[in-house]
PDB file of all heavy atoms in Angstrom:
ATOM      1  N   ASP A 402     -21.388 -22.942  -1.221  1.00 98.00           N
ATOM      2  CA  ASP A 402     -21.567 -24.250  -0.593  1.00 98.00           C
ATOM      3  C   ASP A 402     -22.903 -24.841  -1.033  1.00 98.00           C
ATOM      4  O   ASP A 402     -23.966 -24.335  -0.669  1.00 98.00           O
ATOM      5  CB  ASP A 402     -21.533 -24.089   0.926  1.00 98.00           C
ATOM      6  CG  ASP A 402     -21.578 -25.412   1.666  1.00 98.00           C
ATOM      7  OD1 ASP A 402     -21.858 -26.457   1.020  1.00 98.00           O
ATOM      8  OD2 ASP A 402     -21.343 -25.425   2.891  1.00 98.00           O
ATOM      9  N   PRO A 403     -22.884 -25.929  -1.821  1.00 97.00           N
ATOM     10  CA  PRO A 403     -24.132 -26.535  -2.307  1.00 97.00           C
ATOM     11  C   PRO A 403     -25.062 -26.996  -1.195  1.00 97.00           C
ATOM     12  O   PRO A 403     -26.269 -27.152  -1.424  1.00 97.00           O
ATOM     13  CB  PRO A 403     -23.638 -27.730  -3.143  1.00 97.00           C
ATOM     14  CG  PRO A 403     -22.248 -27.385  -3.531  1.00 97.00           C
ATOM     15  CD  PRO A 403     -21.690 -26.598  -2.376  1.00 97.00           C
ATOM     16  N   ALA A 404     -24.527 -27.190   0.016  1.00 97.00           N
ATOM     17  CA  ALA A 404     -25.346 -27.692   1.112  1.00 97.00           C
ATOM     18  C   ALA A 404     -26.041 -26.580   1.890  1.00 97.00           C
ATOM     19  O   ALA A 404     -26.843 -26.868   2.781  1.00 97.00           O
ATOM     20  CB  ALA A 404     -24.479 -28.517   2.069  1.00 97.00           C
ATOM     21  N   ARG A 405     -25.773 -25.324   1.542  1.00 97.00           N
ATOM     22  CA  ARG A 405     -26.335 -24.218   2.313  1.00 97.00           C
ATOM     23  C   ARG A 405     -27.409 -23.492   1.520  1.00 97.00           C
ATOM     24  O   ARG A 405     -27.552 -23.684   0.303  1.00 97.00           O
ATOM     25  CB  ARG A 405     -25.216 -23.272   2.753  1.00 97.00           C
ATOM     26  CG  ARG A 405     -24.137 -23.993   3.548  1.00 97.00           C
ATOM     27  CD  ARG A 405     -23.181 -23.045   4.221  1.00 97.00           C
ATOM     28  NE  ARG A 405     -23.793 -22.430   5.404  1.00 97.00           N
ATOM     29  CZ  ARG A 405     -23.105 -21.749   6.302  1.00 97.00           C
ATOM     30  NH1 ARG A 405     -21.795 -21.594   6.162  1.00 97.00           N
ATOM     31  NH2 ARG A 405     -23.706 -21.202   7.344  1.00 97.00           N
ATOM     32  N   PRO A 406     -28.226 -22.650   2.190  1.00 93.00           N
ATOM     33  CA  PRO A 406     -29.381 -22.015   1.540  1.00 93.00           C
ATOM     34  C   PRO A 406     -29.000 -21.142   0.354  1.00 93.00           C
ATOM     35  O   PRO A 406     -27.884 -20.642   0.245  1.00 93.00           O
ATOM     36  CB  PRO A 406     -29.973 -21.153   2.668  1.00 93.00           C
ATOM     37  CG  PRO A 406     -29.523 -21.801   3.932  1.00 93.00           C
ATOM     38  CD  PRO A 406     -28.150 -22.336   3.632  1.00 93.00           C
ATOM     39  N   ASN A 407     -29.976 -21.005  -0.555  1.00 94.00           N
ATOM     40  CA  ASN A 407     -29.872 -20.108  -1.708  1.00 94.00           C
ATOM     41  C   ASN A 407     -28.840 -20.547  -2.732  1.00 94.00           C
ATOM     42  O   ASN A 407     -28.387 -19.736  -3.543  1.00 94.00           O
ATOM     43  CB  ASN A 407     -29.580 -18.667  -1.282  1.00 94.00           C
ATOM     44  CG  ASN A 407     -30.844 -17.891  -1.001  1.00 94.00           C
ATOM     45  OD1 ASN A 407     -31.940 -18.302  -1.352  1.00 94.00           O
ATOM     46  ND2 ASN A 407     -30.702 -16.762  -0.340  1.00 94.00           N
ATOM     47  N   TYR A 408     -28.462 -21.811  -2.681  1.00 97.00           N
ATOM     48  CA  TYR A 408     -27.579 -22.321  -3.718  1.00 97.00           C
ATOM     49  C   TYR A 408     -28.422 -22.660  -4.951  1.00 97.00           C
ATOM     50  O   TYR A 408     -29.514 -23.183  -4.809  1.00 97.00           O
ATOM     51  CB  TYR A 408     -26.833 -23.567  -3.226  1.00 97.00           C
ATOM     52  CG  TYR A 408     -25.874 -24.109  -4.263  1.00 97.00           C
ATOM     53  CD1 TYR A 408     -24.579 -23.605  -4.356  1.00 97.00           C
ATOM     54  CD2 TYR A 408     -26.280 -25.086  -5.170  1.00 97.00           C
ATOM     55  CE1 TYR A 408     -23.704 -24.076  -5.323  1.00 97.00           C
ATOM     56  CE2 TYR A 408     -25.412 -25.557  -6.140  1.00 97.00           C
ATOM     57  CZ  TYR A 408     -24.125 -25.048  -6.213  1.00 97.00           C
ATOM     58  OH  TYR A 408     -23.261 -25.501  -7.175  1.00 97.00           O
ATOM     59  N   PRO A 409     -27.963 -22.358  -6.166  1.00 97.00           N
ATOM     60  CA  PRO A 409     -26.691 -21.752  -6.533  1.00 97.00           C
ATOM     61  C   PRO A 409     -26.763 -20.233  -6.476  1.00 97.00           C
ATOM     62  O   PRO A 409     -27.837 -19.644  -6.656  1.00 97.00           O
ATOM     63  CB  PRO A 409     -26.477 -22.238  -7.968  1.00 97.00           C
ATOM     64  CG  PRO A 409     -27.874 -22.316  -8.517  1.00 97.00           C
ATOM     65  CD  PRO A 409     -28.721 -22.815  -7.357  1.00 97.00           C
ATOM     66  N   PRO A 410     -25.637 -19.557  -6.254  1.00 98.00           N
ATOM     67  CA  PRO A 410     -25.670 -18.108  -6.165  1.00 98.00           C
ATOM     68  C   PRO A 410     -26.143 -17.420  -7.438  1.00 98.00           C
ATOM     69  O   PRO A 410     -26.757 -16.357  -7.360  1.00 98.00           O
ATOM     70  CB  PRO A 410     -24.223 -17.736  -5.817  1.00 98.00           C
ATOM     71  CG  PRO A 410     -23.410 -18.942  -6.140  1.00 98.00           C
ATOM     72  CD  PRO A 410     -24.301 -20.108  -5.956  1.00 98.00           C
ATOM     73  N   THR A 411     -25.889 -18.012  -8.601  1.00 97.00           N
ATOM     74  CA  THR A 411     -26.353 -17.376  -9.838  1.00 97.00           C
ATOM     75  C   THR A 411     -27.868 -17.236  -9.842  1.00 97.00           C
ATOM     76  O   THR A 411     -28.404 -16.202 -10.249  1.00 97.00           O
ATOM     77  CB  THR A 411     -25.920 -18.168 -11.072  1.00 97.00           C
ATOM     78  OG1 THR A 411     -26.298 -19.543 -10.914  1.00 97.00           O
ATOM     79  CG2 THR A 411     -24.416 -18.091 -11.295  1.00 97.00           C
ATOM     80  N   ALA A 412     -28.572 -18.258  -9.378  1.00 97.00           N
ATOM     81  CA  ALA A 412     -30.041 -18.203  -9.343  1.00 97.00           C
ATOM     82  C   ALA A 412     -30.514 -17.187  -8.320  1.00 97.00           C
ATOM     83  O   ALA A 412     -31.473 -16.445  -8.564  1.00 97.00           O
ATOM     84  CB  ALA A 412     -30.601 -19.588  -9.024  1.00 97.00           C
ATOM     85  N   TRP A 413     -29.876 -17.147  -7.164  1.00 97.00           N
ATOM     86  CA  TRP A 413     -30.238 -16.179  -6.124  1.00 97.00           C
ATOM     87  C   TRP A 413     -30.052 -14.753  -6.635  1.00 97.00           C
ATOM     88  O   TRP A 413     -30.943 -13.908  -6.502  1.00 97.00           O
ATOM     89  CB  TRP A 413     -29.384 -16.422  -4.878  1.00 97.00           C
ATOM     90  CG  TRP A 413     -29.460 -15.338  -3.862  1.00 97.00           C
ATOM     91  CD1 TRP A 413     -30.583 -14.810  -3.275  1.00 97.00           C
ATOM     92  CD2 TRP A 413     -28.352 -14.621  -3.279  1.00 97.00           C
ATOM     93  NE1 TRP A 413     -30.246 -13.825  -2.371  1.00 97.00           N
ATOM     94  CE2 TRP A 413     -28.882 -13.689  -2.362  1.00 97.00           C
ATOM     95  CE3 TRP A 413     -26.974 -14.698  -3.439  1.00 97.00           C
ATOM     96  CZ2 TRP A 413     -28.077 -12.833  -1.619  1.00 97.00           C
ATOM     97  CZ3 TRP A 413     -26.167 -13.854  -2.697  1.00 97.00           C
ATOM     98  CH2 TRP A 413     -26.722 -12.935  -1.807  1.00 97.00           C
ATOM     99  N   LEU A 414     -28.894 -14.464  -7.224  1.00 98.00           N
ATOM    100  CA  LEU A 414     -28.625 -13.122  -7.735  1.00 98.00           C
ATOM    101  C   LEU A 414     -29.616 -12.738  -8.825  1.00 98.00           C
ATOM    102  O   LEU A 414     -30.074 -11.584  -8.885  1.00 98.00           O
ATOM    103  CB  LEU A 414     -27.188 -13.050  -8.256  1.00 98.00           C
ATOM    104  CG  LEU A 414     -26.092 -13.230  -7.187  1.00 98.00           C
ATOM    105  CD1 LEU A 414     -24.727 -13.362  -7.833  1.00 98.00           C
ATOM    106  CD2 LEU A 414     -26.094 -12.091  -6.192  1.00 98.00           C
ATOM    107  N   ALA A 415     -29.963 -13.688  -9.682  1.00 97.00           N
ATOM    108  CA  ALA A 415     -30.929 -13.405 -10.748  1.00 97.00           C
ATOM    109  C   ALA A 415     -32.307 -13.102 -10.175  1.00 97.00           C
ATOM    110  O   ALA A 415     -32.999 -12.182 -10.631  1.00 97.00           O
ATOM    111  CB  ALA A 415     -31.004 -14.588 -11.708  1.00 97.00           C
ATOM    112  N   ARG A 416     -32.714 -13.855  -9.144  1.00 97.00           N
ATOM    113  CA  ARG A 416     -34.024 -13.607  -8.526  1.00 97.00           C
ATOM    114  C   ARG A 416     -34.096 -12.208  -7.931  1.00 97.00           C
ATOM    115  O   ARG A 416     -35.145 -11.556  -7.966  1.00 97.00           O
ATOM    116  CB  ARG A 416     -34.289 -14.636  -7.411  1.00 97.00           C
ATOM    117  CG  ARG A 416     -34.663 -16.011  -7.883  1.00 97.00           C
ATOM    118  CD  ARG A 416     -35.271 -16.839  -6.758  1.00 97.00           C
ATOM    119  NE  ARG A 416     -34.452 -16.907  -5.570  1.00 97.00           N
ATOM    120  CZ  ARG A 416     -33.522 -17.837  -5.360  1.00 97.00           C
ATOM    121  NH1 ARG A 416     -33.267 -18.747  -6.289  1.00 97.00           N
ATOM    122  NH2 ARG A 416     -32.836 -17.860  -4.228  1.00 97.00           N
TER     123      ARG A 416
END
Side-chain angles (χ1 to χ4, degrees):
D402 186 348
R405 304 192 76 168
N407 272 346
Y408 182 86
T411 51
W413 168 54
L414 295 171
R416 285 196 306 271

